[in-house]
Amino acid sequence: MIRRPPRSTQGVSSAASDVYKRQLLANSKTGFSGLEISDRLGINRITVSKYLNIFYAEGLIKQKNIGNVIIWFVEDGIEKFHLPEDFFKARTRYSEYLISKKENLVYTLIKNCFHSTENPIKIITEIIVPGIVYIQTLFDQGKIGKSELTFMEKIISNSIQIINLENVETDQEKNVIVISADGKSTLFSDAIATSFHSDGWQVYSLGDMSSSIDVLFDLDLQKFLTKVWKRKMGIMLIVIFSATEEGLQFFAESVKSIRGKSSKKNLYLVLCGKLEKIKIDADFIDEDLETILQWSQTTFERSVS
């Protein structure tokens, strides 16, 4: 079921990770006691117990008491994903669980995938983002209502937070502010903010800033930028998401105003949205999250070389 230990257990002996890699629980119909797992893998019982309790708390495994012994097992019905080959399967299940309002199964799927891959960003780009697009398309087509959309958006937001809670060592020279120009773009901005976080960036996600659209926003944003980028180390990206060209234009103009008053060269503007009628000057414009992440890393590497 699980190919990797939680990130909180990384750095422990490689033998410990075999608890998951050998899929003992997934391949057993009756389950195992902690002592049996310890004996089979030659790992300290205390260490095994610690890992098992972590997975139990996350809903990835179950336990039952037989006398004084705790038996650990994988409950029937819990999907087992082997990534990256099962991304399509996981993406399909994610959308199915969303539409069926099976909230707990959505979270279990994300946790399962999270512990089954070395690249959590792929969970966002290959599973979660397609889910966002799917439910928004259903809403635009009139197949679901606003209440249903809001409920599923909440589930997706919680899915993203499961990954965002990962403890990652950040690089003080890699900084990014993420802004959503409207409510429709918020989940996408949350998704890329979490992706940046997983890639070691210091992230300042502002969410939906549509209520801040006024003539003084550039001053407000400049004050915020000064506080979070005091030492001006490395680079700072300002990434803007918008469902409309007008939204992109407003926030881009605000950033342009800030750049005109700053002598700092390593401040970059990135736009994510469609531009058909309006031409906006930005350092990078694209609708694909992975492409933006790749460009951002390349830009950082060039800035420090």
Side-chain angles (χ1 to χ4, degrees), residues 218 222 225 252-265 267:
D218 58 332
Q222 185 173 16
L225 179 63
E253 289 295 327
S254 298
V255 175
K256 182 179 178 181
S257 175
I258 294 171
R259 285 175 29 153
K261 301 172 186 177
S262 174
S263 60
K264 188 65 178 175
K265 301 297 183 183
L267 176 61

Side-chain angles (χ1 to χ4, degrees), residues 52 74 105 166-167 172 205 209 230 238 276 287 291:
L52 291 172
V74 175
L105 287 180
E166 173 192 20
N167 186 21
Q172 293 185 351
S205 181
M209 294 294 289
K230 293 179 181 179
I238 299 181
E276 297 176 346
E287 294 183 73
T291 303

